[in-house]
Every structure is written in structure tokens, then in C-alpha cells.
Amino acid sequence: MTVIGNAVYVDGHRAATPKSLDETFETLRSEPGGFAWIGLYRPDATELDVVAHEFDLHDLAVEDAVRGHQRAKIDRYGDHRFLVLRPARYLDSEERVEFGEIHLFVGEDFVIAVRHAETPNLARIRARLEHEPELLARGPLSVCYAILDQVVDEYEPVVAGLENDIDEIEDQLFSGDDAVARRIYDLSGEVMDFQRAVRPLVGMISVLRAGLADKAAVDADTLGDAAALELRRSLRDVLDHVIRVNEKVDEFRQTLQNALTVHTTLVAQVQNEKMQRLTETSLAQTEQAKKISSWAAIIFAPSLITGIYGMNFAVMPELRSPWGYPLALIAMGAFAFTLYRVFKAKSWL
């Protein structure tokens, strides 16, 4: 069995540290008013079925806890709640966000934490609560609150890491770095994953606070009014923190969208400039070709006449005419001048 934490608490103090789950179940029956806090690390279906049978956990919730890869949510099954939390941590060396998963079964006399990630450190949370017996005395919901609080606190370094990455992207935008588009795309995906982990917490915490205010809800009749009020205040503090994180994540998404728009505009501007230069070059080449073609045509007319009379055939009447030579020169000049005027009128010259 992958049990990483197992204790029974009464009035905010550890009443027993069972060595097995069977002993936990027996101790819980003999300690009225107490509750069990069991921590499991990536249990398989058989291992979780033992706990599920004892605490009458719903099959669908158990299936989700075994399978993992669930979205952040809160469900109610009879007299217990099932929560899925998505802790996150920022890996500086890789400049990316790593997401985990925690499943919580919270009932009147038990908290079962199924962990699918290295963080948060539930042993540290347990130690913190054991040093705050007044908080722990408020029952299983106090454990739920403490885990939520730790998960949300660990979002702060993630926010700082993402913010730093976005600042770097803003510097890259105007440096001509071709890799910036890919980085914007990857970072947008991480921000959306982070948003999917954080955004549902607003509704989840609101449901828990409403449950504390409802005397018919789970744990409400085991908590005094003062304890329930204090827990509501504590959850409200976590809720405020979550709202701030959500606002930052919304800002990140908007900033990345703007960055992508700016990048697209800059790329289009560079492409337009290149196209303009190519067009100008092409026009210059075309103008040059027009001039060459015009002069070639102008030279061709006299060449045609001189070529004809240079064939030296015996029977060519113009060769014996006294006006043959000047007429040939006039014809060549007229052809050339006419073509020059035509090409000049068409702006080829």
C-alpha cells in the first residue's frame, strides 16, 4: 500500500498513528468525534478500493482518482465531497510550468489525499496543522483548507516565472529573433493550462464556503458556529488570493495575444519592405529593358535598308539612280526619327 501519511486526530491533536489502514479504521471507530487523515501516493485500483470500501466512496470518484488526468473540480457524492486540485511549479532551468494533481475525499470523519505529483509537500502541511491545533480541531475541512492554501501559495512562483518569460518575449519582439513566434505559442499554451488549473478554484472555494454556512452540509453540524465562521474567513482569504492569480493570468493571455499581433504586424511590415524593394528592382530592370529594346528597334530600321542594298544584286535600279544614296539616307533617318518619337511618346526613352 502506497500510504505516505496515516493518523487519527481528536480535538486538534494526533490521537493515534496507525501502522496499517485496518488499524486506522478500528481506531476511528473507537474515537468518537475524531477524524482520519490518510495520504496515498499514486495508488492502484486495488489499493484504493480498500479505502473506498471502508469509507463508502463513490465508484466514479474512485475511478477518477485512480486514472488521474482530471480537470480541477469539486463534486458531491452523498455525505462526502471529492475535489481535484492542479498544483503547479515553475522550472527555472527549463523555463516551463510543470503541473501535478491531487485528489481529496472529504467526509465527516475522514480526509483522504491521493497525490499524483511531487508537490505540494503534504507532510509539511500536516506538520503545520499539528502545530495549529485550534485550526485542526475544526475537522476535515480544515485539512482541505490547508491543502488549498498551500496549492494556491505555490502558484506565486509560477506567476513570477511566467511574468519574467513574457518580459523576455517583449524584448525579443523588436530584436528580429525568428524564434519569438514559437516561444509565444508555447508560452500561450502554458498560460492556458495554468488558467485551467486556477480558474475553477473560484467556484470550488465558493461551494466550500457555502457548505459551511449551510447546517445541512457535510461537517456543518460537527462544527460550532465560531469554528465554521473562522473557516469561512480562512477560505475567503484563499479565494482572494485565487482571484488575484486569475487576474494576473488574464493579463498574461492578453499580453501574449498583443505580442502575437505585434509580431505578425512586424513580420508583415518586413515582408512588405522586401516586396517593395523587389518591385522597385523589377521596375528598374523593366525600364532598362524598354530603353535597350527601343534603341535596338531604332537601329534596326537603318540596318535593314543598308542590309538590303548591301546584297550587291546585279539588277537593283536604285543603285544607278543619282538620288539613290541621299534617298536611302533620308529613309533611314525618317525611320529612326519616327521610331524615336513613338518610343518617346510611350515613355520608353
Side-chain angles (χ1 to χ4, degrees):
M1 176 65 70
T2 54
V3 179
I4 57 175
N6 188 9
V8 175
Y9 297 90
V10 178
D11 295 330
H13 298 279
R14 185 187 287 241
T17 306
K19 296 181 180 180
S20 67
L21 290 178
D22 289 335
E23 187 178 339
T24 303
F25 306 147
E26 293 175 5
T27 303
L28 195 59
R29 296 189 192 99
S30 63
E31 293 287 353
F35 73 92
W37 181 358
I38 301 170
L40 305 175
Y41 182 69
R42 293 179 178 171
D44 58 31
T46 303
E47 293 170 339
L48 195 54
D49 280 344
V50 176
V51 182
H53 177 74
E54 180 65 28
F55 293 107
D56 194 25
L57 304 180
H58 197 279
D59 293 342
L60 291 177
V62 173
E63 183 181 348
D64 286 347
V66 172
R67 247 185 348 191
H69 305 291
Q70 303 296 311
R71 61 180 177 83
K73 63 178 181 178
I74 181 170
D75 293 323
R76 184 169 180 175
Y77 296 99
D79 61 351
H80 69 271
R81 294 186 181 89
F82 175 63
L83 292 84
V84 179
L85 305 177
R86 298 296 308 277
R89 61 175 177 170
Y90 184 81
L91 304 178
D92 286 316
S93 59
E94 302 176 29
E95 291 189 334
R96 69 178 182 88
V97 181
E98 181 182 75
F99 295 92
E101 199 167 336
I102 296 177
H103 301 256
L104 295 178
F105 297 89
V106 184
E108 293 183 3
D109 58 354
F110 65 88
V111 177
I112 301 165
V114 180
R115 199 176 76 184
H116 289 271
E118 301 302 322
T119 57
N121 189 335
L122 297 184
R124 186 169 59 199
I125 297 173
R126 189 186 293 268
R128 168 199 163 188
L129 286 176
E130 289 181 350
H131 282 85
E132 299 181 52
E134 298 84 1
L135 177 58
L136 194 54
R138 295 167 192 160
L141 278 181
S142 65
V143 178
C144 183
Y145 150 73
I147 294 175
L148 270 168
D149 187 41
Q150 185 64 35
V151 168
V152 174
D153 281 346
E154 291 184 3
Y155 286 156
E156 281 298 331
V158 178
V159 170
L162 290 174
E163 191 167 27
N164 183 65
D165 287 345
I166 291 173
D167 289 341
E168 291 177 357
I169 282 178
E170 291 176 341
D171 294 336
Q172 282 182 278
L173 275 176
F174 300 98
S175 67
D177 189 347
D178 294 335
V180 68
R182 180 67 185 183
R183 192 173 186 191
I184 292 174
Y185 177 80
D186 291 340
L187 193 55
S188 295
E190 290 188 352
V191 169
M192 285 188 289
D193 288 340
F194 189 40
Q195 190 172 50
R196 282 192 284 268
V198 178
R199 179 167 287 177
L201 293 181
V202 175
M204 293 167 62
I205 295 173
S206 297
V207 168
L208 291 174
R209 295 184 74 244
L212 286 169
D214 183 0
K215 296 300 182 181
V218 176
D219 291 337
D221 51 1
T222 65
L223 292 169
D225 290 343
L229 179 61
E230 192 60 33
L231 258 182
R232 278 173 56 81
R233 288 172 177 166
S234 299
L235 286 170
R236 176 67 211 186
D237 181 66
V238 178
L239 180 60
D240 289 342
H241 195 172
V242 170
I243 291 173
R244 288 196 300 271
V245 173
N246 264 313
E247 289 173 350
K248 291 294 293 183
V249 175
D250 286 337
E251 289 177 12
F252 291 163
R253 288 198 64 177
Q254 186 61 49
T255 300
L256 288 171
Q257 288 175 357
N258 292 341
L260 190 59
T261 301
V262 170
H263 175 68
T264 303
T265 303
L266 291 174
V267 170
Q269 182 178 350
V270 171
Q271 291 177 340
N272 288 338
E273 290 174 355
K274 289 181 178 178
M275 186 61 68
Q276 185 176 357
R277 286 196 295 270
L278 287 173
T279 302
E280 291 172 353
T281 302
S282 178
L283 288 173
Q285 292 174 345
T286 301
E287 291 297 322
Q288 188 68 22
K290 287 179 179 179
K291 290 181 180 181
I292 293 173
S293 300
S294 300
W295 285 115
I298 292 170
I299 294 171
F300 172 74
S303 298
L304 176 63
I305 295 174
T306 56
I308 291 174
Y309 288 100
M311 292 186 290
N312 295 321
F313 287 112
V315 182
M316 294 185 72
E318 296 86 355
L319 294 177
R320 298 182 180 276
S321 171
W323 298 100
Y325 177 69
L327 287 175
L329 290 178
I330 291 171
M332 287 188 287
F335 273 124
F337 181 74
T338 301
L339 289 175
Y340 176 82
R341 295 294 299 175
V342 170
F343 290 132
K344 192 70 174 177
K346 291 181 177 294
S347 299
W348 280 39
L349 290 174

